[in-house]
Structures are given as C-alpha cells and as structure tokens.
Amino acid sequence: MARGSSKGAGRHAAMAAAALLSGFATPTAAETRQAEDALSALRQRLPQDEVIYFLLPDRFANGDATNDHGGYAADRLKSGFDPADTDFYHGGDLAGVTQQLDYIQGLGATAVWLAPVFKNKPVQSHGGYTGAAHHGYWITDFTAVDPHFGDEAAMRALVEAAHARGMKVYLDIVANHTADVIQYRECPEGRCAYRSRADYPYTRRGGVDGAPINEGFDGRDFSRLTQPDYAYTPYVPAGEENAKVPAWLNDPIHYHNRGDSTFTGESSLDGDFAGLDDLLTEDPVVIQGMIDIFGGWIDKYGIDGFRIDTARHVNPGFWQAFIPAMIARAEAKGIPNFHIFGEVYDPDPAVTARFTRVDGYPAVLDFPFQKQATDVAAGKVGTDGLAKLFDADTIYDKGAETAAILPTFLGNHDMGRVGFFVKQANPNADDAEVLARIKLAHALMMFSRGVPTLYYGDEQGFAGAGGYGNSRQDMWPSRTPVYANETPVGGRQPAYSTDAPLYQAIAEMTRIRAEEPALRRGRQVVRAYGDKPGLFALSRVGEDGSEILALFNTSTAPVAAHVEVEPGSLRWQALRGDCAPESSAPASVAVRVPPLDYLVCKSVP
C-alpha cells in the first residue's frame, strides 16, 4: 500500500495538533512548545526539499455543500454554479482540501499550492464567451476568501491543519489585473482593440491630435496622471462603483485602459487580458497597494509561498519593489524560506531566466523543463533535449543555485495534462505504454534538479482532451459529461484511491526522494544522452561526495551501456530497479535499463 494508507493515526494526530493551534483545546506548555518547534522546523526547510501539489479548490473536494452557490441566487448566471459545465463552479472548497490532506500527504507531497482563493466576480462575459470564476483569476476583493470556497475560518483551518502535519501552503496570487468591471464607452460590444502609448499618449485625450490632458506627466510622477481617458473613455457601470476591495481599486485612474492585449509587444504589458482590467503597475499607489494586500495574507495566515500569475505581463519595476517587500514581510513573520515563483509561460530558458536577472524573481515555473521532459518521456525527441536544457541553467541568476528551486512540472490547468501529451504523441499506444511513459515523465521530474510539482488528478490517471476546461476534472464522480466519460490511464478507481497505479508509482518516487538528501540538494551532473529515444542518465552528488545515479530509458527496447560516475563510487545499492553491485572500473559502471523504465542507484562505502 502507498504511504498514508493507514490514515487513522495520522488524521487523529493532525486533528489534535490543529485543535491546539486553533485554540479549541487548552494546550500544556509542553504541547505549545512542541507545536512551535514543529512549525519552526517546517519553515527551515529549503524550497528544494518540497514536493508541491497544485490543485484548483473548486475541482478537488467538496467539503461543504452549503457554499456551492457562494451565497448568490441559485441561477447559474448569478452564482456561476453548474457542475455539468467545464467552465462553471462545481462545488469544491477549502473544507474539502482540509479533509483530503491525508490523501495529498500519502502521495508524498509536502506543500499544497492553491489556485487563487480570493473573492471573484462569479460570472463574466467577454467577446461572446460566458463562464464562471471557478479558477479564481477574476478577483474583486483581494482581502477576502471567495464564498464558493469558504471563509476566513475555513482558510485558517486549512493552513493550521497543513502546518500541523508538516505541510506548507502556497497561494496563487494575481497583481496584473482584476475582474472585468471597467468598460469603455467607445466599445459597447466589449471588445476594444489595443491603443498604443505612441498613438495615444497619456498627455492627449483620444490620440496625438487630441486635447492636452495630464499636463506635466512625464511617465514618472503619477500624481500628475489625473485623467484616465487618453486612449479610451473608461467608466464603471452603475451598481459596480464599489465592486472591488480595497477601495482604491475602483478608480479607473489606476488602470492602463488601453483595450485588449494581443499578447505581443507593448500590449503584453499594458493591455487587458481578455477584457480583465489591467492594473497600472507603474503607479506607486498600485505598487504599495499590492504590497499591503498580499503582505496582509502572510501576516494573517502564515502563508509559506506565492506562485505569481501572469508575471510576464507586468513591468519589471513593479516586481523589483514587490518581491523584496514580500520576502521581508515573510521574514518578519518568522518565515525565512518563503518560496516565490512566477508564471512565465514560455519554453525558452532565455526568456524565463530573464525574470530572475531583471525582474528579481527568486524562481519561475520551469516551462522549459515541462516541454523537454514531456517530449522526451513521450518519445517524440531524443534525450539530448534535456541535456541542452540543463546546460542552460547557467543563465539563471545565481546559476545552478536558482535552477535548484525552479518548480518543475509536467502539465497544468491551462495547457493540459501529461497524460494528454503522451497520448497525443503516441496515438496507437496501448494503456500499458501510456502508463509507463507517464511514470517515466514523473521520474524525470522527481530525480532531477528543481522542485517537483504535481498537478492534482495526474496521480489518478486523468488525461483529458486538451487544455483549460478539458484539464480541470473533478476528483469526485463528476456530473460533467466529458469528465465522467473519460477512462483514466491505468483504469478508473474510486475517488481519492491510493491504489491507483500512478498514485502508487509517484508515492514510491517521493519516498526515495525524501530519504535521500542528494536527490533534493545534490549537485547535478548529466552523464549520458543521445539524439534519439533511449538512455538518459544523471548523477546527484551530495556535499559529502555521495552519489545517486538516476537512469532512464525512453525507448521501447532495453538499453545497456557503460556510464561515467564519480571515481570514488565503486559499490552500488539499488534504491529502485536492478543496479550493478560494483563499478566496472573506477569512474565507470555498467547499466541495463528495461524499456520505458528507470533505475535509481546509490553509491555506498
């Protein structure tokens, strides 16, 4: 059975600890000290010691059916609740996440990353599309929990329950935009073409030939920017004048107001993201406002890290002020290893690395790894793609030190799941081959540098038919036809099964990683690769000189080879698979790896 299958004792211990932390029981001095020591130990863990589990609260577990409509009228276009529609709320909430912490921890995850939990505009329409904010990215109140997910008490209970069992909680945050509230009088249909700074400067109303406004504004002194109608004429519809919290968010002067982004050039920074109100993040009022908002979540709940949405759509100056402020706020709260990583959706490390060098990000989501690891595991390309990727680690700020804390992942809620990518690359493969390749992809992630990040449901074999709505399955028996009709890779299991083949496989990997410090913190050395599917080998070398050799075969035939190792690595112990007991010669070991499989071998004195 997978770790965590004997749930009773762990659940009772966690509930007792959480009760003490929440004040429902009167702790003794020893119990208080024990809880404080445990929390301190959790906060001393480095980011690379974690295995992150990313989930959408709406799709993970429904712990409280009374909040399914979020307190709104029971009309799908009012509350956004329609469990048969991929783009509407399905009922999951924070109470459900708390109830399923055993399941997450049994998989070997040590940190839970929640998609945004802030209060959202429940339903929006833009350009003919109508959907609900089940994903959490259409925020109106940045200071409150969305009522579909619970309330302050539910948020506090989740964090305390996670901390009580040694797990961290990361929040997904947004500083680029808010919900779509502001409209433009020139665009009654809702779609507005982007208007550039050159054609529509801040100092003219309606274009370069327009009447002078914002006189004296030089792009730096934002106290002189008082009129927001330089490109369009923005307004807040009646009844929504106070829709946003904090109150400063309701004033159009704090937004770019230039129309929809094309996601290229200047519009990538200043345009509305599919109609969402794009914040004027150059403005000191916006900078300080966002620092106050998200610093407040650290102060209030003791959050352990932030994943930052749409990082590439915000100017560097904002991040250069915001990120140090968040790190300082966390340190003041006694959180020395606060993990911040930004979403820079690009497979080119030259693009993602820029955000660590220019914008000041400690880390970014490793989209380049996602691309290479899934392509390699799917057999689309040779294993040399991973070698080239790891060679590029030097371009990140602090090089390998930064690469060590990049969250690595195989798929997500926007692009789709690893199972989908493997199936797409191997349309004629049977279930056994697809399962083996998905396991191999997870092994590549679990034993290479970086912070492994699991996407909820992958461990149950969910694959889906693509990205976005097709990759956001319910963990429970779904009423959404496209989810209910899916046959997961490895076969359908009961909800939250710890016997699912991928759950078992991933739990084995996380156990090995947790037991071996070199697999979390060791220096990485790529040992073998080729321009076709086949052998990929890497070593993780610990500070004490110990070596762990991870070997992967991405081909459908067995491979045999000699692989270079450290000269002092002469004898070997198998952590997984069949490893040679001794090196063939100093600095060389013979390896045999079965098709679509992996070995993990540890040097021993």
Side-chain angles (χ1 to χ4, degrees):
M1 297 292 290
R3 286 181 302 132
S5 56
S6 56
K7 295 181 179 178
R11 181 185 294 114
H12 292 149
M15 288 175 64
L20 290 173
L21 287 168
S22 302
F24 294 124
T26 302
T28 66
E31 288 170 333
T32 299
R33 188 164 53 253
Q34 185 177 17
E36 290 174 348
D37 289 347
L39 185 58
S40 177
L42 173 149
R43 287 174 169 168
Q44 293 304 317
R45 292 204 312 255
L46 297 176
Q48 57 264 46
D49 288 332
E50 313 301 338
V51 173
I52 303 170
Y53 188 86
F54 169 43
L55 61 86
L56 278 68
D58 180 64
R59 304 299 167 89
F60 186 68
N62 191 345
D64 181 3
T66 66
N67 63 28
D68 286 357
H69 293 280
Y72 299 93
D75 175 333
R76 73 189 294 270
L77 295 181
K78 299 294 184 184
S79 72
F81 179 71
D82 183 351
D85 191 316
T86 60
D87 284 355
F88 278 66
Y89 286 100
H90 288 189
D93 49 37
L94 297 177
V97 178
T98 303
Q99 291 169 13
Q100 293 296 336
L101 286 175
D102 272 350
Y103 170 86
I104 299 171
Q105 192 166 38
L107 187 61
T110 62
V112 180
W113 156 17
L114 303 169
V117 300
F118 316 103
K119 185 177 181 180
N120 272 229
K121 191 173 188 177
V123 179
Q124 288 188 174
S125 296
H126 183 73
Y129 164 83
T130 296
H134 68 279
H135 43 67
Y137 293 103
W138 300 343
I139 304 169
T140 53
D141 187 345
F142 284 78
T143 68
V145 173
D146 190 280
H148 292 87
F149 300 151
D151 54 18
E152 178 181 328
M155 184 70 207
R156 195 177 300 280
L158 170 57
V159 175
E160 290 175 351
H163 284 173
R165 42 177 89 228
M167 301 176 72
K168 296 180 178 180
V169 177
Y170 297 163
L171 288 188
D172 201 319
I173 69 169
V174 186
N176 174 64
H177 58 262
T178 71
D180 183 12
V181 173
I182 297 171
Q183 304 300 312
Y184 304 130
R185 297 200 183 279
E186 294 84 352
C187 310
E189 301 300 318
R191 279 193 177 275
C192 293
Y194 184 78
R195 291 182 170 177
S196 72
R197 294 191 295 262
D199 291 329
Y200 294 85
Y202 289 107
T203 54
R204 293 291 186 272
R205 178 175 283 117
V208 292
D209 296 326
I213 58 172
N214 300 319
E215 293 189 46
F217 178 64
D218 59 0
R220 292 185 294 273
D221 184 359
F222 282 85
S223 67
R224 292 182 176 273
L225 188 66
T226 59
Q227 301 296 316
D229 53 343
Y230 33 81
Y232 287 103
T233 308
Y235 71 97
V236 176
E240 295 191 275
E241 295 87 351
N242 299 302
K244 299 178 186 178
V245 179
W248 62 266
L249 288 165
N250 294 301
D251 189 341
I253 198 65
H254 298 307
Y255 298 82
H256 284 115
N257 303 312
R258 292 189 173 277
D260 283 352
S261 176
T262 64
F263 304 105
T264 58
E266 174 193 308
S267 82
S268 186
L269 290 176
D270 292 2
D272 295 341
F273 196 111
L276 299 169
D277 300 347
D278 193 71
L279 282 157
L280 186 68
T281 46
E282 302 93 324
D283 183 353
V285 171
V286 175
I287 296 171
Q288 189 58 50
M290 286 294 165
I291 288 172
D292 292 342
I293 286 167
F294 294 117
W297 283 81
I298 297 172
D299 293 345
K300 193 171 189 177
Y301 297 105
I303 299 302
D304 302 290
F306 287 155
R307 178 268 194 183
I308 302 181
D309 181 66
T310 50
R312 71 186 305 170
H313 302 297
V314 176
N315 58 299
F318 177 89
W319 299 129
Q320 291 162 5
F322 179 84
I323 290 171
M326 292 302 97
I327 292 171
R329 199 73 164 257
E331 289 178 345
K333 182 71 174 177
I335 308 171
N337 294 308
F338 194 79
H339 197 186
I340 294 178
F341 48 98
E343 179 207 26
V344 182
Y345 197 147
D346 200 292
D348 184 351
V351 174
T352 55
R354 195 216 83 187
F355 287 81
T356 67
R357 287 189 168 273
V358 177
D359 297 56
Y361 268 88
V364 290
L365 281 165
D366 200 344
F367 279 87
F369 175 87
Q370 185 279 331
K371 170 66 173 171
Q372 293 300 328
T374 55
D375 282 356
V376 166
K380 286 179 64 175
V381 298
T383 57
D384 55 345
L386 279 170
K388 293 173 184 174
L389 171 73
F390 293 136
D391 276 346
D393 285 352
T394 56
I395 68 178
Y396 287 93
D397 186 48
K398 301 181 182 177
E401 182 180 339
T402 294
I405 63 170
L406 302 179
T408 50
F409 68 103
L410 302 171
N412 66 21
H413 57 318
D414 291 326
M415 61 170 32
R417 294 182 179 275
V418 60
F420 171 73
F421 302 131
V422 169
K423 284 187 168 186
Q424 191 177 43
N426 299 275
N428 298 318
D430 60 16
D431 191 67
E433 179 180 341
V434 172
L435 178 63
R437 289 189 182 279
I438 296 173
K439 289 180 182 178
L440 195 58
H442 280 89
L444 284 167
M445 176 175 69
M446 201 66 64
F447 301 123
S448 60
R449 62 91 177 122
V451 186
T453 303
L454 305 167
Y455 182 42
Y456 89 98
D458 281 358
E459 74 281 0
Q460 292 297 326
F462 295 165
Y468 204 77
N470 285 319
S471 63
R472 301 177 181 185
Q473 291 93 328
D474 301 317
M475 287 288 285
W476 61 88
S478 182
R479 292 165 57 187
T480 308
V482 69
Y483 301 157
N485 295 333
E486 178 182 356
T487 300
V489 178
R492 183 169 290 282
Q493 300 281 334
Y496 311 103
S497 171
T498 59
D499 293 324
L502 280 163
Y503 187 103
Q504 294 269 316
I506 294 168
E508 178 188 27
M509 297 176 203
T510 59
R511 175 187 57 78
I512 294 171
R513 187 177 189 275
E515 291 174 353
E516 299 295 339
L519 287 173
R520 306 191 307 275
R521 305 186 183 192
R523 174 173 56 90
Q524 178 169 290
V525 183
V526 174
R527 299 296 193 184
Y529 56 87
D531 61 2
K532 294 180 177 59
L535 180 65
F536 182 72
L538 59 82
S539 292
R540 304 297 301 276
V541 181
E543 291 184 358
D544 60 355
S546 62
E547 180 175 9
I548 295 180
L549 181 65
L551 303 143
F552 312 88
N553 181 5
T554 68
S555 74
T556 55
V559 296
H562 282 92
V563 173
E564 184 180 13
V565 292
E566 296 296 296
S569 296
L570 300 176
R571 299 176 60 245
W572 297 91
Q573 169 191 352
L575 300 182
R576 201 267 184 186
D578 185 12
C579 301
E582 296 182 355
S583 291
S584 305
S588 178
V589 64
V591 302
R592 296 179 181 275
V593 190
L596 302 179
D597 206 356
Y598 71 95
L599 312 180
V600 184
C601 310
K602 179 182 180 179
S603 67
V604 293

